Amino acid sequence: MISDASRAQPTSAERLLRGLARNPAARVDVLLGVLRTAPLPACQGLEARRDLPRPLQDVMVEHPLRDVRSVLAEHPGVDPGIRGRLLLADPDWRVVVRAFGSPDQQPLSDHVLHSLLARIEDVPPEALVTVPELYAELWPAMRYDLRLYRLAAKHPDPRVRRHAAAFPRYLDDSSRGALMADPVPEIREVIVAAIAEEQRVMQPADLPDHHCHGFWAVLQRPLSRALVDRIVASGDEAALYFVGPNPSTPPDVVQALLRHSAAEVRRRLAERIDLSREQLLLLACDSVVEVRTAVSVNPGLTEQQRADIDIDVTTVGGDGHYGPRRRCRHHDHAFVDERVPPLADAMRWASSVNPLLRRRAARNPELPSSLVTSLADDPDLGVRVLLALHHPDAPSGHLLRCFLEYHGCGREQLTELARFPTAGVAVFADHTDPAVRRLAVRDPQADPELVEQLLCDPDITVRQATASCRRLPHARITALLGDPELAEHAAANPALPVEQMRRILESAPVPEA
């Protein structure tokens, strides 16, 4: 990740070098030259690349600038062995934290994770970060890879095992049992105490007197009757938001909350899987559509009962976004479930009368072709978009249709999919939506005159996409290198001659930061 200080308004030379760095046709020697000449602009371009050639990674991993190594650490295309080197040998702990990883990177070997755990325990005082702080960063980053907890539980360093023992909820039965039989008495004591604490029923004295992380954490633990009564008496709707779905909330309190004045409290109750038939039907007739919509996916209902509920799926999330939220700025999508459901559940939900359950089904990439065909023609846009984003066999025509109809988060990701069509999309050159007009330059059969016309499009993003179109004549691409608005995109054009790339390097030196 590039620091904010390095994102100042770029010079013309920096724009050109940044474009070269993300040019998919740039040779390794060109990329190395850009990195050598202007490392920070280079990194801004390298962030946008789908791939990082291995020789380039070999240089980046040893680069003296932290920003360069950080970009490498977070890049989806980084070699797991290179990322392991950053984790185990980088002198800057900020780079190490960046290299903890994400689900879209290749997994690390057990050996690297094993060694990383020991390195964290040996963090030097000058690192300006404590061991608990590093673990606090590592656990969430590795939540998608539970090997870390298994390895920590069996690590030869008792300090690592002790830390794993403090988080039994992340351990499997085998790892938990191994720690409870650990030869070090302190470790046995830690895990026994941690398990007891996890099972301890929260009392009024455990609840902080103000809203904070600790406050919300307590409300998601087993609750005593005294604590529940205190919260109900307080009328704190934000606290009741957690008390309602908590499995330990007494049945009589659940019954009372079914008629609470706050719709959000009632909506959260709809998530309980222990509601009676009468309670479910009461919520199904709620005066607020968000409550009815929430209960419509409850597993306690029959398909006929779901069909009888008046719901409004356009209220889901409030913004019409169905795409992966981790790439979006919207984090308040009510009723949007991002988890991939088990195939058996997905196959059952795929034929549900409820579009929200069909949306869940569409997230499973293993659905058979018969269900892919039916969901591709689903009347609900959310179902169609989620199928397009998650299933590798979604038809090309379906991907294009979704792009034309959908305007929410994840739309641009559709064009990155291998099956997204390019042939024939030049017909959209006159479309009213600039995003659709940008598709025209992807057509391998687009008329050169049409591409030239798009360079004069009123929308800057269309002009920039056109400047990167490989169908432009070499002379035109070269001329665009002098256009302040389009220079970077022309430099990123894969049809830019290698000789021109090298001339840019020779004539546009930028002082190193």
Side-chain angles (χ1 to χ4, degrees), residues 356-386:
L356 298 180
L357 289 178
R358 299 200 302 276
R359 289 181 190 179
R360 293 181 184 180
R363 291 184 178 277
N364 191 299
E366 299 178 352
L367 285 174
S369 57
S370 59
L371 292 179
V372 172
T373 299
S374 64
L375 292 179
D377 289 326
D378 196 278
D380 179 73
L381 176 60
V383 173
R384 300 196 300 272
V385 170
L386 288 169

Side-chain angles (χ1 to χ4, degrees), residues 2-3 35-36 98 116 128 132 150 156 164 171 205 216 220 230 260 334 352 373 393 433 480 490 499 506:
I2 302 297
S3 62
L35 183 63
R36 181 172 55 251
R98 299 288 187 200
L116 170 64
L128 300 179
R150 172 176 56 81
L171 300 172
W216 311 122
Q220 295 175 75
R230 172 180 164 181
H260 195 277
S352 174
T373 299
D393 295 331
D433 184 350
L480 292 174
E499 297 76 13
E506 295 169 359

Side-chain angles (χ1 to χ4, degrees), residues 20-216:
L20 282 185
R22 63 184 179 89
N23 191 317
R27 298 179 180 180
V28 173
D29 64 307
V30 171
L31 296 175
L32 290 172
V34 175
L35 183 63
R36 181 172 55 251
T37 303
L40 294 181
C43 283
Q44 293 168 7
L46 294 175
E47 283 181 316
R49 292 184 65 91
R50 291 188 177 184
D51 70 305
L52 291 178
R54 178 55 189 262
L56 181 65
Q57 294 188 39
D58 289 334
V59 173
M60 293 177 71
V61 74
E62 301 288 351
H63 201 280
L65 283 183
R66 181 183 72 241
D67 281 344
V68 174
R69 304 195 307 278
S70 293
V71 166
L72 175 63
E74 295 185 303
H75 198 281
V78 63
D79 183 275
I82 292 287
R83 185 156 67 95
R85 286 173 58 185
L86 292 171
L87 282 167
L88 302 178
D90 198 276
D92 194 309
W93 277 96
R94 286 165 290 191
V95 176
V96 174
V97 171
R98 299 288 187 200
F100 280 169
S102 60
D104 56 357
Q105 291 180 315
Q106 294 185 58
L108 298 166
S109 67
D110 283 4
H111 170 73
V112 169
L113 293 178
H114 205 265
S115 302
L116 170 64
L117 291 167
R119 187 188 178 199
I120 287 180
E121 286 295 340
D122 291 327
V123 57
E126 62 270 18
L128 300 179
V129 63
T130 66
V131 169
E133 287 173 338
L134 283 170
Y135 274 119
E137 292 279 355
L138 178 62
W139 294 137
M142 296 298 294
R143 190 70 51 81
Y144 63 89
D145 190 347
L146 296 181
R147 290 179 302 147
L148 184 72
Y149 307 100
R150 172 176 56 81
L151 292 170
K154 298 177 181 179
H155 200 280
D157 189 332
R159 296 172 300 173
V160 176
R161 300 201 306 277
R162 185 188 185 286
H163 197 91
F167 298 94
R169 62 185 176 278
Y170 299 139
L171 300 172
D172 57 21
D173 291 340
S174 174
S175 299
R176 195 180 297 111
L179 289 172
M180 294 185 72
D182 197 278
V184 179
E186 181 188 5
I187 294 175
R188 299 197 300 271
E189 294 169 1
V190 168
I191 191 169
V192 168
I195 292 175
E197 177 59 24
E198 286 186 353
Q199 297 174 345
R200 185 172 67 86
V201 176
M202 297 290 96
Q203 302 296 329
D206 294 309
L207 189 68
D209 57 7
H210 63 284
H211 292 175
C212 59
H213 288 300
F215 186 94
W216 311 122

